[in-house]
Amino acid sequence: MTELAVGGRTPAEYIRGALYGLAAVSIWSGWIVVARLGLKSSLTPWDIAALRFGVAGLLLLPYVVTKGLTLKRLGWI
């Protein structure tokens, strides 16, 4: 039997939530770094957009592969 934490959640759920939060902070800070790099170097807006959406696409690729490409399977509202 696992010990429940405050609110009926397990410690594993808190760890998973912390990892999701860390991932969100990493994504946002990564975008700030890329935008700053674009200002300091010769990157065009197209290069910056490709970096932003290319990395996001690579991060979401495993999810899309497991769920398939249909909007119904992805949970589209």
Side-chain angles (χ1 to χ4, degrees):
M1 182 171 156
T2 61
E3 186 176 325
L4 295 179
V6 177
R9 293 181 180 89
T10 64
E13 290 174 319
Y14 278 107
I15 291 171
R16 185 173 53 180
L19 290 175
Y20 289 153
L22 183 62
V25 168
S26 298
I27 289 169
W28 278 99
S29 63
W31 168 242
I32 293 170
V33 169
V34 168
R36 180 86 171 165
L37 178 68
L39 291 173
K40 295 245 179 212
S41 69
S42 62
L43 288 177
T44 67
W46 293 106
D47 296 332
I48 295 172
L51 283 171
R52 182 178 187 183
F53 294 112
V55 171
L58 286 175
L59 289 174
L60 289 174
L61 186 63
Y63 181 79
V64 172
V65 168
T66 59
K67 296 290 185 177
L69 288 175
T70 63
L71 295 178
K72 186 176 179 181
R73 289 185 187 161
L74 288 175
W76 194 266
I77 297 175

